Amino acid sequence: MEGILGSDMGDFILALHEEHGVNFHLEDTVAAIAGKQVALKSGGKLDADLVIVGIGVRPRLTLAENAGLTMDRGVLVNEYLETSVPEIYAAGDIARWPDPHSRESIRVEHWVIAERQGQTAARNMLGQRRKFDAVPFFLEPALRLADQLCRPRRAMGQHRDRRRHQSQGLPAKIPA
Ligand SMILES: Cc1cc2nc3c(=O)[nH]c(=O)nc-3n(C[C@H](O)[C@H](O)[C@H](O)COP(=O)(O)OP(=O)(O)OC[C@H]3O[C@@H](n4cnc5c(N)ncnc54)[C@H](O)[C@@H]3O)c2cc1C
C-alpha cells in the first residue's frame, strides 16, 4: 500500500488492520502450503484453515508488441491515450499513461479506470481531443473505516446477515 499511497497512508492502513488482529509478515513470502500449514520463506510456519492467494496479473501485450507499439511495462500512451502509432489507442489494464496529478507515468489495474479510459479513447477516436486526467482511485472496504461509514445501515442489516450466515452453515455470530 505504501508504494501506491505513500508512507502515511501505508502506515495508517497497516495500523488499522493490526488493531483488528491482523498479523502482517512483511518482506516475507509463502514457500509452501501443506495441508493446513503454510511455510514461510523466512522459516516460520502458520496454521491456516483457509488460504487466499493474491498473486496479481500480467497484461497480455503480445498483440501490441507485434504491432510495433512502444512499450514500457505496458503499452505507452500519451495524455490522449494514443499509442506511439497514430490512431491506435490503448485503455485499461495494459495502458501506461502520463498521470498529470503525480506527474508520473502510471498503469492501474482497476475497472473504473478501464471504463473511463475506454470512454476517453473512444471520444478521441471520434476526433475530440480529450486528455485523460481522472484521478486514480480505488475503494477499500477496510475494517473500521468501512464500519464507520456503514454504521447506520449495519444495525438494520445484522439480523438479516445472521439468518443468511445460518442458512449457509456459517457461524451465527457476526463480529461486532
Ligand atoms: C481476480 C480479479 C479481481 C479483480 N477485482 C477488482 C476489483 O474488485 N475492483 C477493480 O476495480 N478491479 C478489479 N480487478 C481488475 C479489473 O478486472 C481490471 O482492471 C479490468 O477488467 C480491466 O479492464 P480491461 O478492459 O483493461 O481488461 P480486461 O477486462 O482484462 O479485458 C481485456 C480483454 O481483451 C482480451 N484479449 C487479450 N488479448 C487479446 C488478443 N490478443 N486478441 C483478442 N482479445 C484479447 C481478453 O480476453 C479480455 O477479454 C480484478 C481483476 C482480477 C483478475
Side-chain angles (χ1 to χ4, degrees), residues 95-120:
R96 180 173 294 278
W97 82 98
D99 172 43
H101 309 286
S102 62
R103 292 166 206 256
E104 285 179 17
S105 179
I106 62 171
R107 194 176 65 77
V108 173
E109 292 171 1
H110 286 124
W111 70 264
V112 175
I113 297 284
E115 199 175 56
R116 290 182 180 170
Q117 287 192 338
Q119 291 163 351
T120 301

Side-chain angles (χ1 to χ4, degrees), residues 6 11 29 39 44 50-51 65 77 86 94 118-120 132 138 145 157 174:
D11 289 346
T29 189
L50 177 71
V51 177
E65 278 165 353
V77 295
I94 60 165
Q119 291 163 351
T120 301
F132 183 77
F138 69 96
L145 212 55
I174 308 294

Side-chain angles (χ1 to χ4, degrees), residues 70-96:
T70 301
M71 314 293 286
D72 175 14
R73 295 157 293 154
V75 178
L76 206 60
V77 295
N78 63 17
E79 64 268 50
Y80 303 103
L81 305 180
E82 195 168 22
T83 67
S84 58
V85 177
E87 299 189 10
I88 297 187
Y89 293 79
D93 281 12
I94 60 165
R96 180 173 294 278

Side-chain angles (χ1 to χ4, degrees), residues 32-49:
I33 301 172
K36 289 195 163 191
Q37 203 166 59
V38 176
L40 299 176
K41 201 174 174 190
S42 61
K45 289 199 183 338
L46 303 173
D47 292 326
D49 289 324

